[in-house]
Amino acid sequence: MGFSGELVFGRSERPLIEAPVFGGAQEDDEGGITACWPRPGGWQTWQFHGTFPGRPEDVLRAVVEWTGAPACVALVHDSDVALVSGLGPGGDMWDAWLNLEIAAGMVDRPLSEMDAAVPDDARRALDWARSAGVGDGVAATAIEEILRSDETFAEEVFANLLDRLGFPEAVDPEAEG
């Protein structure tokens, strides 16, 4: 069985888990809430395994308000599919599905309809990344390629999307530098 839960991505000098919306939640070794490898510049991703504190759009708004920076949330189902929603401080929101073929079956929408939305989803995701100060020189077609990919694990597609959008690559904190 794969991962089902939420991934929260944002930038802060403090751990995102300290945002008031998380109500004092703590990272734990049992896998309820875990930090992924950080990205330079304060960018971080947190995994919530069934312990998410409310509606994703409310959490997203609260994280953006707390950090003053763009953020996104990915709702992942059994590592097969994810719905990513991003929000910037200016209030512009976007969303996109990862692993379209599986998503089409889950939400009972024609794959052709979901695929037709990919160029607009890619453009809005890239605009969001640029509002975060990354993504210059990235072509929307590169983002479309990720949104149309069908990797085994939606979490990996999410990380690849962030990389392709121009965010600094995640770094193993235990790696010798």
Side-chain angles (χ1 to χ4, degrees):
M1 178 176 228
F3 169 73
S4 288
E6 291 78 20
L7 300 169
V8 178
F9 175 76
R11 179 178 59 199
S12 177
E13 292 189 19
R14 298 175 17 204
L16 285 178
I17 195 69
E18 293 179 8
V21 70
F22 299 121
Q26 305 252 332
E27 183 174 12
D28 63 48
D29 293 332
E30 283 75 48
I33 301 172
T34 54
C36 299
W37 288 359
R39 293 170 180 259
W43 294 103
Q44 44 192 294
T45 302
W46 286 79
Q47 284 189 331
F48 290 80
H49 306 255
T51 57
F52 209 59
R55 296 179 350 165
E57 57 272 14
D58 295 337
V59 171
L60 185 56
R61 280 184 183 83
V63 168
V64 169
E65 183 178 306
W66 186 71
T67 63
C72 66
V73 172
L75 299 145
V76 182
H77 177 74
D78 201 22
S79 290
D80 292 332
V81 64
L83 175 61
V84 181
S85 299
L87 179 68
D92 293 331
M93 192 166 199
W94 64 276
D95 60 25
W97 287 96
L98 305 181
N99 287 343
L100 286 180
E101 189 171 333
I102 296 169
M106 286 184 64
V107 299
D108 197 28
R109 284 176 54 195
L111 178 58
S112 60
E113 179 183 301
M114 294 182 76
D115 185 71
V118 167
D120 189 48
D121 294 343
R123 182 192 51 76
R124 291 182 305 136
L126 195 50
D127 288 346
W128 169 81
R130 289 177 178 147
S131 78
V134 301
D136 288 337
V138 176
T141 54
I143 307 309
E144 289 177 36
E145 181 181 309
I146 292 290
L147 295 180
R148 288 187 170 113
S149 69
D150 59 355
E151 299 288 325
T152 301
F153 299 105
E155 307 92 304
E156 290 178 11
V157 180
F158 178 70
N160 292 341
L161 175 63
L162 295 174
D163 291 345
R164 190 74 59 97
L165 285 167
F167 288 95
E169 289 192 26
V171 178
D172 180 351
E174 296 180 15
E176 294 184 52

